[in-house]
């Protein structure tokens, strides 16, 4: 049986060793690298199930590594960084990270978040007998198998979370989803004061859909309740 492989990319050897120590106790196979280029090489040369990335790495920073990963892979990505401002966290999530922890960190909390992300990834990748419908409304086409979004003939590049949010809203276009509902269904975890995470993804999703240029918003805010698709 194939062991789950986790990539740890951090130029601080002590931190990488500490993470590896706790994750090895969970039975995971660990690959440790110390810069961004090594991280990309590891992902291109072998099967990685989850990546833990520092942001301030030599050669390629964590943001650029994430951008390149997201061009071809949907594996969970957790940022573990000393950069702790709200802007840093928002940037990481917008770039395509699934979670963000700041240093210093509790190793057991990191293990819990790794386990949660892997559980969610496994559920999403399980074969299903349900038909995954291609959604079409107006000029918008969403293909869940290819994970593509086309708006009036133009391909819209979305992060995995942005895609999942859009598909959820469009598939239930008459329903209003609270921030808590969206987080639980898209992230597959219990809601833990992550309203800003959802709102940041909604904001960037709207921008990519060109809503800042149009009067008619595809994603409508229902004040005091949540969000709904306005197609």
């Amino acid at each position: 049986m194939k062991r789950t492989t986790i990539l740890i990319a951090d130029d601080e050897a002590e931190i990488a060793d500490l993470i590896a120590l706790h994750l090895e106790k969970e039975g995971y196979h660990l690959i440790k690298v110390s810069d961004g280029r090594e991280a990309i090489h590891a992902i291109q040369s072998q099967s990685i199930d989850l990546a833990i990335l520092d942001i301030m790495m030599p050669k390629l920073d964590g943001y650029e590594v994430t951008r390149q990963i997201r061009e071809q892979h949907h594996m969970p990505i957790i940022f573990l960084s000393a950069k702790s401002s709200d802007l840093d966290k928002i940037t990481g999530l917008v770039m395509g990270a699934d979670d963000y922890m700041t240093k210093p960190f509790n190793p057991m909390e990191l293990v819990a978040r790794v386990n949660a992300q892997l559980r969610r990834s496994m559920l999403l990748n399980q074969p299903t007998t349900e038909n995954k419908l291609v959604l079409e409304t107006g000029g918008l086409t969403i293909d869940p198998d290819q994970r593509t979004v086309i708006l009036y003939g133009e391909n819209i590049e979305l992060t995995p979370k942005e895609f999942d949010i859009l598909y959820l809203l469009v598939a239930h276009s008459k329903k209003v989803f609270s921030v808590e509902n969206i987080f639980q269904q898209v992230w597959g975890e219990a809601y833990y004061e992550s309203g800003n995470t959802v709102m940041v993804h909604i904001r960037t999703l709207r921008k990519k859909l060109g809503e800042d240029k149009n009067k008619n918003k595809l994603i409508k805010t229902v004040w005091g309740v949540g969000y709904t698709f306005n197609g």
Side-chain angles (χ1 to χ4, degrees):
M1 182 177 179
K2 177 183 175 293
R3 294 174 69 191
T4 299
T5 299
I6 296 176
L7 173 68
I8 303 170
D10 198 310
D11 59 331
E12 296 183 72
E14 297 84 357
I15 290 179
D17 290 342
L18 177 64
I19 297 169
L21 176 66
H22 283 81
L23 289 176
E24 283 171 348
K25 292 178 182 178
E26 297 288 307
Y28 296 125
H29 174 235
L30 284 306
I31 297 172
K32 294 184 291 184
V33 299
S34 59
D35 66 60
R37 286 183 184 169
E38 288 181 350
I40 293 297
H41 176 73
I43 288 165
Q44 291 175 340
S45 60
Q46 53 202 301
S47 177
I48 305 293
D49 298 292
L50 179 144
I52 300 172
L53 307 178
D54 185 22
I55 292 178
M56 296 180 289
M57 291 188 291
K59 299 182 181 179
L60 291 177
D61 65 22
Y63 295 141
E64 177 60 21
V65 172
T66 298
R67 187 191 68 78
Q68 293 191 32
I69 290 174
R70 286 294 178 242
E71 289 179 351
Q72 297 182 337
H73 304 283
H74 298 292
M75 72 184 70
I77 297 173
I78 298 176
F79 273 139
L80 182 63
S81 174
K83 297 169 74 69
S84 59
S85 73
D86 287 343
L87 178 60
D88 293 321
K89 295 176 183 179
I90 289 169
T91 301
L93 294 170
V94 168
M95 290 296 294
D98 298 277
D99 203 349
Y100 193 113
M101 288 187 67
T102 57
K103 301 175 183 177
F105 63 98
N106 182 325
M108 297 309 298
E109 180 183 355
L110 176 59
V111 169
R113 295 195 184 199
V114 166
N115 290 338
Q117 290 296 335
L118 287 170
R119 281 196 303 271
R120 177 184 177 277
S121 179
M122 183 174 63
L123 288 172
L124 289 177
N125 291 318
Q126 280 182 345
T128 176
T129 57
E130 296 180 3
N131 292 323
K132 294 183 177 180
L133 299 176
V134 174
L135 303 178
E136 296 184 0
T137 176
L140 181 67
T141 301
I142 308 174
D143 187 327
D145 291 324
Q146 301 297 320
R147 295 187 71 83
T148 56
V149 175
I150 298 174
L151 183 61
Y152 296 114
E154 180 184 354
N155 187 56
I156 308 297
E157 295 290 340
L158 301 182
T159 67
K161 290 294 189 296
E162 290 165 356
F163 181 93
D164 292 341
I165 291 172
L166 182 62
Y167 191 87
L168 175 68
L169 295 177
V170 176
H172 305 86
S173 60
K174 303 300 182 183
K175 181 175 180 179
V176 179
F177 287 88
S178 68
V179 168
E180 181 176 356
N181 291 154
I182 293 172
F183 187 85
Q184 289 174 338
Q185 296 205 42
V186 171
W187 274 259
E189 304 172 33
Y191 182 74
Y192 52 91
E193 298 182 358
S194 299
N196 285 339
T197 298
V198 173
M199 287 186 282
V200 166
H201 281 78
I202 293 285
R203 187 186 312 147
T204 58
L205 181 55
R206 281 172 163 166
K207 185 175 182 180
K208 290 181 179 181
L209 294 172
E211 291 196 354
D212 53 341
K213 302 175 184 177
N214 303 322
K215 292 182 179 179
N216 296 324
K217 303 291 186 183
L218 290 176
I219 299 175
K220 179 182 177 182
T221 299
V222 180
W223 296 107
V225 184
Y227 301 97
T228 187
F229 182 71
N230 194 34

